[in-house]
Amino acid sequence: MSENRFRPFGRRSLSVRRLIGACVAVAMLWGLFWLIFLSGLTDPLTEMASPVVDRLIAMINEPLGIDWGGHLVAIAAIIIPHLVLLLFIFDGNS
């Protein structure tokens, strides 16, 4: 590097810009957290998802108390075609 190179901003201003960017990112994350969990705006969605969450909690707490066969077949019927589609899309040999 040459010593005569023009530097429009110093190292201090770069640190300040990075700090401002980090503060904006934290503020956006907090706003998203507040919107989802604290504002009450998404209560209808969380009420719709509560049976699914309750069933997952029951599966975790007592894995032998739930009929896994039907659930695993349903999950496989949804996931396997998507994985095959991704295999065809991202195939490196074509």
Side-chain angles (χ1 to χ4, degrees):
M1 283 194 173
S2 67
E3 294 180 21
N4 296 330
R5 189 173 147 244
F6 176 68
R7 300 181 91 184
F9 301 107
R11 290 187 187 272
R12 185 82 165 162
S13 66
L14 178 63
S15 298
V16 169
R17 285 185 286 159
R18 285 182 179 166
L19 178 66
I20 291 171
C23 291
V24 168
V26 168
M28 290 174 71
L29 286 174
W30 170 249
L32 185 64
F33 176 80
W34 179 84
L35 182 68
I36 292 173
F37 296 111
L38 301 178
S39 69
L41 185 65
T42 57
D43 285 344
L45 295 175
T46 54
E47 287 177 15
M48 286 177 18
S50 65
V52 175
V53 172
D54 294 339
R55 191 150 187 103
L56 286 174
I57 291 172
M59 283 183 192
I60 292 169
N61 289 337
E62 191 176 340
L64 299 178
I66 293 178
D67 177 27
W68 281 88
H71 294 292
L72 291 179
V73 168
I75 291 170
I78 293 171
I79 290 178
I80 290 174
H82 288 85
L83 293 177
V84 171
L85 180 65
L86 288 174
L87 175 71
F88 284 127
I89 291 173
F90 296 109
D91 187 20
N93 297 327
S94 59

